[in-house]
Amino acid sequence: MTTLVITVVGDDRAGLVSALADAIAEHGGSWGRSQLAELAGVFAGIVTVDVPPGRAEELTAALEPLAGVLETTVREAPGPRGAAGGPGGDTGAPVLPRASYRLELVGNDRPGIVRDISGVLTAHGVSIDLLDTRTGPAPMAGGQIFEADITLRPSEQTDLTALRGALEDLAGELMVDITLETEGDLP
């Protein structure tokens, strides 16, 4: 199977997911992971799709008529890291699962908060697998509250003690609450 990563953006309206799902199914595709949401009146998302070898171009072409209603971008997934043919190459060593961590952040919203968090994570060799953010009114304090749920995947070289220290320092600078906990092993 060939794995495709499809991004979609369009003005929010009923039937967008159905139109995308119809095209995928009609070309032998199997819907995999997805994150789809309405944000400020715009529908946006990303979907992984497995298609039989040789049908990827067919599916890509089938998505073109959706243009104007749902803009799509399709690219082939590179494969798992460390696997034969994927980034990292085939080293002969098994690809071992790495622990996944969940980072929760809650505090007053301010410009640059995502930049500051992602900068600390990058400096410690941590990849973001999932970033879910939202803002809302701050009860009793006025202003806006910023909340983030982030699923992280540290590299093998990441010093978790140093990462925790850097996140605690950042929490103090930003005056936010940060919680980092393990989610177990993921392949």
Side-chain angles (χ1 to χ4, degrees), residues 7-77:
T7 59
V8 297
V9 177
D11 291 336
D12 190 36
R13 68 174 184 81
L16 295 177
V17 173
S18 180
L20 180 61
D22 287 347
I24 290 168
E26 288 170 9
H27 292 85
S30 176
W31 190 291
R33 290 187 61 195
S34 64
Q35 294 284 319
L36 304 164
E38 179 275 328
L39 302 168
V42 175
F43 178 77
I46 188 166
V47 179
T48 61
V49 175
D50 290 328
V51 293
R55 300 215 49 199
E57 288 182 25
E58 213 178 283
L59 174 57
T60 300
L63 295 174
E64 288 176 15
L66 297 176
V69 175
L70 189 62
E71 302 297 325
T72 61
T73 304
V74 181
R75 70 184 285 183
E76 190 171 328

Side-chain angles (χ1 to χ4, degrees), residues 9 12 20 22 24 67 80-81 86 109 114-115 120 138-139 142 144 152-153 166 168 175 180:
V9 177
D12 190 36
L20 180 61
D22 287 347
I24 290 168
R81 294 202 173 275
D109 189 25
V114 173
R115 177 201 59 214
V120 167
Q144 293 284 307
L152 311 172
R153 194 177 302 254
E168 288 170 5
M175 298 190 321
L180 180 66

